[in-house]
Amino acid sequence: MVKFTKEMKEALRVPGKGGSLIYLCTSSRDGNPNIAAMRFVATHMDDKILIADMFLLKTKANIKENPDVAVTICHPLDEGRWWVFKGKAVDMEYGFPRDFDWYGANATDILNEWGNWNKAEPPDEVPPDIVFPKAVQRGVVVVHVEEAYSIEPGHVGEKVLEG
Amino acid sequence: MTVNLTDRMKAWIEAMGCHLCVATPEGVPFVVLGRYAEVTGNGEVAFALAQDEAKVIAPALSKNPRVAFGVSRQGGIRAAYQFKGTGELLRSGSVFDTIAAQAKEEKGIDAESVLLVRLTELYCTKPGYEAGQRLDGMSPEELDAWERQRWKDVPRKRD
């Protein structure tokens, strides 16, 4: 079981709170990769990354057929946030059994705390020509992280977290 | 069919570099940075990769050439696009020589290989109703007009 560092937990928050814009990388079951930027991000326990399901299309379809994902920092990189987190994801949508468990993360706990993310952490820092007019959240993607490697120039591929 | 890129898209790709995503045939994704990027032709983008960067993606890429990438840094929000295509790792030839030399000169990267991506798909990733809209069916003029209605900012190239 991995354990996020303090720096990782600080980075894996919404940009408006000093966190990061992240890329969520998924793949279809037959290996068609997909990469999409995400703003609503948080950590849960010591080894889970949470991401709001607001506008997910291909990402959502991929997770439903293949749980293997990678999460990496898109911006800012220059603060030492050179990590790629790899693990297994599920999209905990409304309607999931409330006792659903994903590697120790409970659906009731997750949806109660993060189910109305736009209200809890509104995207005040997002530029007006990018911000969405209305956020409709359908669930929370929970990534159970199993390992992480570096993408820092000169150290690419080195393990920074290992289960 | 050729995927057209606007001048603004080219500027963002080349100024910021990109996050490159590949996957094994079984669907396990891997990501590295393409710190030096150059649009080498219409619908082709080349990335200079150091040895350790290439080593992360080479095993998957050798079995599955599909590549997806997004613009790094502020480009993740300001250049809200996803680019998809097929990738080939070049270790010799004129494209390799040119890109490797430029990457060394401009960013000090010792390129062990060059990932040449031939684009096949282009998507808008702006959050909201346009998320996931496919753009590669547009003519160059249509695509340019579509983008100009939304964004005009072009970044300065990074050191």
Side-chain angles (χ1 to χ4, degrees), chain B residues 13-20 33-40 45-50 53 72-73 95-111 113-115 157-159:
Chain B
I13 288 169
E14 294 182 351
M16 296 290 163
C18 296
H19 279 63
L20 309 169
L33 295 177
R35 292 177 286 144
Y36 180 86
E38 183 173 323
V39 179
T40 54
V45 187
F47 300 93
L49 300 179
E53 292 165 334
S72 299
R73 304 176 190 274
V95 173
F96 172 83
D97 292 342
T98 302
I99 298 300
Q102 290 171 185
K104 179 69 175 174
E105 183 183 336
E106 292 185 28
K107 299 209 169 181
I109 297 171
D110 289 315
S113 55
V114 167
L115 175 66
K157 201 152 187 173
R158 293 171 53 84
D159 293 331

Side-chain angles (χ1 to χ4, degrees), chain B residues 115-128:
Chain B
L115 175 66
L116 182 64
V117 181
R118 297 176 178 90
L119 297 174
T120 55
E121 299 166 48
L122 170 63
Y123 296 89
C124 174
T125 57
K126 180 187 176 188

Side-chain angles (χ1 to χ4, degrees), chain A residues 3-21:
Chain A
K3 186 173 182 180
F4 295 137
T5 65
K6 180 170 167 279
E7 291 76 19
M8 289 171 178
K9 287 187 175 182
E10 287 172 354
L12 293 166
R13 296 188 296 183
V14 295
K17 289 188 173 177
S20 313
L21 183 69

